[in-house]
Amino acid sequence: MKLGALRQTLAIFLVSFIFLSSIPSSFALSSPDPVRGKNAMVASQHELASRIGVDILKKGGNAVDAAIAVGIALAVVYPEAGNIGGGGFMLVRFKDGRTTAIDYREMAPKAAHRDVFVDEKGELTRGEGGSTVGYRASGVPGTLAGFEMAFKKYGSGKVKWSDLIDPSVRLAENGYVLTHRLAQLLYGYREWLAKYPDSNRIFLRDGKYYQEGENFKQPELAETLKRISKDGAKDFYTGKTAQMVAADMAANKGLITLEDLKNYVAKERVPLKGTYRGHEIVTMPPPSSGGIVMLQVLNMLEGYDVRSMGSGSSAKLHVLAEAMRRSFADRAEYMADPDFAEVPVAKLIDKKYAEERRSTIDLNKASASKDVKFGSFSTSSEGTETTHYTVVDAEGNLVSNTYTINDLYGSRVTIKGTGVLMNDEMDDFAARPGRPNLFGLVQGERNKVEGGKRPLSSMTPTIVMTKDGKPWFALGARGGPRIISAVMQSVINVIDHDMNIQQAIDSPRIHMQWLPDELAYEMYGISPDTMKILTSYGHNFAQRPGNIASATGIMIDKDGIRLGAIDSRSDGVAVGY
Ligand code: DON
């Protein structure tokens, strides 16, 4: 080898050595770099929706305006989860430091009651008439009420309501090109969607299934959105769309009436705040369980040197699983709509309480979930489809929004003549308090079905601050209760393992939900020898690995650059400028 070539080889070796040795061994090295934006960023699960959000920002709209436009666009281009027939949570941090949480979760129709989903023998109703599919599975949607409240109170005032809706009218009217993924997903849900005439016609073309690359138009949805653009949310709650929803419900033994629609209210709530190793965490309060469960786990983990344990080590996964086991037990008992049930929030997220719970964790032995009860204290003194997107605007306002119709394509019902797919959010109530639901989970009475109540959610839109109080990153996820696990582990990955937002979101994770007593894991997420150690501690691994939720987020680096990240487990595009 010539001297020059030798020098070059040595230099490459040295640079690689310095570079690699500066990266903690736990890094998911395969993650792509996050998308960079000097001014602003929108990260959502569809490129067209992210671009619509960026257009609104460029027109002078703020993050709240853009978030509304993205949400409406996803209802058109991401029908499995994007919606106006569902509900969700919009967490906002304004540039001046104020925060708010807009709760536009669905409300149970007035006619719903504790035993609405069980028969005389106490058996759960399955299929049509039950809580997961068909007309009775829907709660009263909140999306438009929530968006309108956000727009009126926190919009920039520089763009009109119609500016936020009209791009989506065009998408629904002119169509958009179906991706391989969406075409396949529609086909995969054909048996369910085919049961409802409008779903069958719109999403399955009456059996002439859509193929990748075809143009997909939704003319009825375009008409509905035109009315909403002109008349605002009132079209959906008291206008023509409301009449159509109520009529279709009445014709199909659904529970939602005109009165239920008229009575829907979005609510502004005070965000839940906690800390993890000196970083403030701003997250969603009840009716989400997400914020409480995440803060509980983080509080318990503060007692361990998680950084030294290393991100994928058996030591860390063990304490993480044990902390989750304990907080998910509390979730099943204590968490519900705070307007109907007493939720001891302050006690549950208290660091002293976490210390007590932590003291029951044996470092070399897994607890059996049947022996782990929810924490005991008096409450009397206590005064499975979703999508998350995040927006950071040029001024520094942040929106972390998760909304859902629950399962993929919700209840699978499209309301006649409207193009609106409805949610199956009634399944997030405890259909049979005290006894297992369809998935083996037992919940207490607090989350029982009651007319006007919001079902307990796991959606966890979150914003994390730097130690000196500046907004650092915002994120959220889809995936039912696994959302909480995905968000908390991403937070741990950034704070304890120095990952950037993309690496933090992509990195393998676990999920432990108390009951069933089973540790869920991801393919190649845990090495065989780590698994062996955890099994020897007594952890029961799920039979098969599977993805644990999927997240999206945005981080602001020290130079103010916005870094957008979409989970490599799912599709989506972050767009910045
Ligand atoms: O509110 C909740 O927690 C659930 N309805 C979310 C459902 C979900 O994330 C399904 N997504 N894959």
Side-chain angles (χ1 to χ4, degrees):
M1 198 184 273
K2 291 217 176 101
L3 195 61
L6 182 67
R7 247 193 233 132
Q8 201 179 353
T9 314
L10 273 175
I12 292 171
F13 175 75
L14 199 69
V15 169
S16 328
F17 177 75
I18 292 168
F19 176 65
L20 288 174
S21 57
S22 67
I23 297 174
S25 57
S26 53
F27 266 11
L29 284 168
S30 56
S31 276
D33 285 342
V35 173
R36 294 169 66 83
K38 256 190 171 169
N39 300 291
M41 178 72 59
V42 180
S44 87
Q45 292 201 272
H46 202 292
E47 180 173 359
L48 291 170
S50 296
R51 291 203 181 282
I52 284 175
V54 166
D55 287 348
I56 294 295
L57 294 173
K58 285 185 175 169
K59 270 194 176 150
N62 64 12
V64 171
D65 296 321
I68 296 165
V70 172
I72 300 292
L74 288 168
V76 180
V77 297
Y78 201 70
E80 70 198 68
N83 70 80
I84 56 173
F89 304 129
M90 183 185 284
L91 184 70
V92 191
R93 185 182 188 278
F94 301 97
K95 60 180 178 195
D96 61 6
R98 283 173 304 134
T99 54
T100 191
I102 295 177
D103 164 5
Y104 56 97
R105 181 77 164 158
E106 296 90 331
M107 285 166 66
K110 195 170 161 208
H113 55 86
R114 184 184 185 280
D115 297 320
V116 69
F117 297 120
V118 289
D119 63 20
E120 321 75 61
K121 291 190 199 127
E123 293 307 319
L124 289 167
T125 312
R126 288 166 196 266
E128 182 70 44
S131 61
T132 57
V133 68
Y135 284 83
R136 291 167 86 88
S138 297
V140 182
T143 299
L144 285 163
F147 284 0
E148 192 171 77
M149 174 189 255
F151 177 74
K152 287 189 172 158
K153 245 181 135 168
Y154 299 116
S156 62
K158 293 183 187 152
V159 288
K160 300 193 295 291
W161 171 255
S162 57
D163 293 332
L164 309 183
I165 314 291
D166 293 351
S168 299
V169 170
R170 288 192 287 276
L171 274 178
E173 204 157 42
N174 304 331
Y176 58 93
V177 175
L178 278 184
T179 57
H180 170 68
R181 193 185 154 281
L182 184 49
Q184 273 218 323
L185 201 61
L186 287 170
Y187 183 73
Y189 275 73
R190 65 193 178 284
E191 275 179 34
W192 293 104
L193 290 166
K195 291 192 173 136
Y196 304 99
D198 275 38
S199 300
N200 190 37
R201 181 169 47 76
I202 295 169
F203 297 107
L204 305 175
R205 207 164 39 187
D206 291 319
K208 292 191 276 329
Y209 304 118
Y210 281 103
Q211 305 289 321
E212 163 186 16
E214 282 195 79
N215 194 42
F216 178 52
K217 295 184 184 179
Q218 299 169 81
E220 290 100 331
L221 183 57
E223 289 309 310
T224 301
L225 290 176
K226 276 183 201 166
R227 291 194 296 275
I228 289 163
S229 171
K230 188 168 142 285
D231 300 335
K234 86 171 186 285
D235 169 69
F236 193 91
Y237 294 100
T238 55
K240 183 167 177 193
T241 305
Q243 309 274 354
M244 291 163 98
V245 173
D248 204 24
M249 283 281 162
N252 291 283
K253 300 197 183 113
L255 299 177
I256 298 177
T257 62
L258 258 185
E259 197 196 346
D260 289 321
L261 288 160
K262 193 174 98 214
N263 289 339
Y264 182 84
V265 275
K267 294 192 173 175
E268 206 168 354
R269 301 200 186 266
V270 179
L272 197 62
K273 291 187 180 168
T275 57
Y276 184 55
R277 304 195 198 281
H279 294 272
E280 186 177 51
I281 316 266
V282 183
T283 186
M284 194 65 208
S288 179
S289 59
I292 300 180
V293 171
M294 173 172 67
L295 290 176
Q296 282 191 295
V297 171
L298 294 177
N299 285 343
M300 280 185 251
L301 289 189
E302 266 185 344
Y304 304 106
D305 187 355
V306 171
R307 176 182 285 267
S308 304
M309 286 172 167
S311 91
S313 69
S314 54
K316 175 196 159 180
L317 296 180
H318 172 65
V319 291
L320 178 61
E322 289 303 299
M324 284 177 172
R325 195 193 301 277
R326 284 156 180 77
S327 24
F328 271 102
D330 282 351
R331 175 186 189 270
E333 175 62 18
Y334 289 120
M335 299 176 211
D337 181 350
D339 298 338
F340 280 73
E342 202 162 14
V343 185
V345 180
K347 281 183 180 154
L348 290 167
I349 62 168
D350 185 77
K351 301 239 184 222
K352 276 243 155 354
Y353 174 60
E355 227 175 279
E356 272 168 44
R357 297 291 266 171
R358 190 192 309 124
S359 70
T360 65
I361 297 176
D362 181 329
L363 289 180
N364 300 304
K365 192 167 180 282
S367 310
S369 287
K370 65 175 175 35
D371 302 331
V372 172
K373 298 281 174 272
F374 45 87
S376 58
F377 45 71
S378 137
T379 58
S380 57
S381 63
E382 178 65 30
T384 142
E385 185 61 18
T386 305
T387 183
H388 178 84
Y389 55 91
T390 312
V391 182
V392 177
D393 68 20
E395 299 196 306
N397 301 300
L398 262 85
V399 172
S400 193
N401 188 92
T402 315
Y403 76 151
T404 187
I405 43 176
N406 194 27
D407 284 310
L408 283 159
Y409 304 107
S411 64
R412 315 310 154 35
V413 171
T414 303
I415 296 293
K416 193 172 167 198
T418 64
V420 176
L421 252 176
M422 292 293 280
N423 68 83
D424 67 323
E425 221 67 63
M426 294 298 282
D427 194 50
D428 278 353
F429 283 114
R432 202 163 56 158
R435 294 181 60 201
N437 69 5
L438 293 172
F439 308 99
L441 183 70
V442 185
Q443 289 186 67
E445 289 283 336
R446 280 185 177 77
N447 190 30
K448 68 183 174 202
V449 183
E450 292 175 83
K453 188 176 181 181
R454 286 147 144 86
L456 181 66
S457 174
S458 297
M459 293 186 285
T460 317
T462 295
I463 299 169
V464 180
M465 315 296 288
T466 60
K467 278 197 175 149
D468 54 359
K470 296 200 186 89
W472 189 13
F473 60 102
L475 78 170
R478 62 185 256 189
R482 293 166 173 227
I483 290 172
I484 313 173
S485 305
V487 174
M488 80 172 65
Q489 285 169 82
S490 303
V491 170
I492 294 166
N493 287 340
V494 173
I495 293 179
D496 286 327
H497 304 307
D498 299 329
M499 296 189 197
N500 71 31
I501 189 75
Q502 184 70 55
Q503 293 159 334
I505 280 174
D506 282 350
S507 197
R509 38 191 180 241
I510 57 164
H511 175 70
M512 151 54 69
Q513 203 179 320
W514 180 50
L515 289 175
D517 187 343
E518 182 179 273
L519 191 59
Y521 66 106
E522 299 187 305
M523 178 100 83
Y524 309 120
I526 304 188
S527 71
D529 40 8
T530 307
M531 216 167 202
K532 213 161 145 190
I533 299 173
L534 289 169
T535 307
S536 78
Y537 289 176
H539 289 284
N540 309 309
F541 278 93
Q543 277 192 333
R544 274 191 300 275
N547 281 357
I548 294 174
S550 75
T552 67
I554 299 175
M555 182 177 258
I556 303 174
D557 79 4
K558 58 179 181 357
D559 303 317
I561 305 287
R562 283 73 166 118
L563 304 171
I566 306 288
D567 204 315
S568 56
R569 294 166 184 81
S570 70
D571 51 357
V573 176
V575 180
Y577 74 96

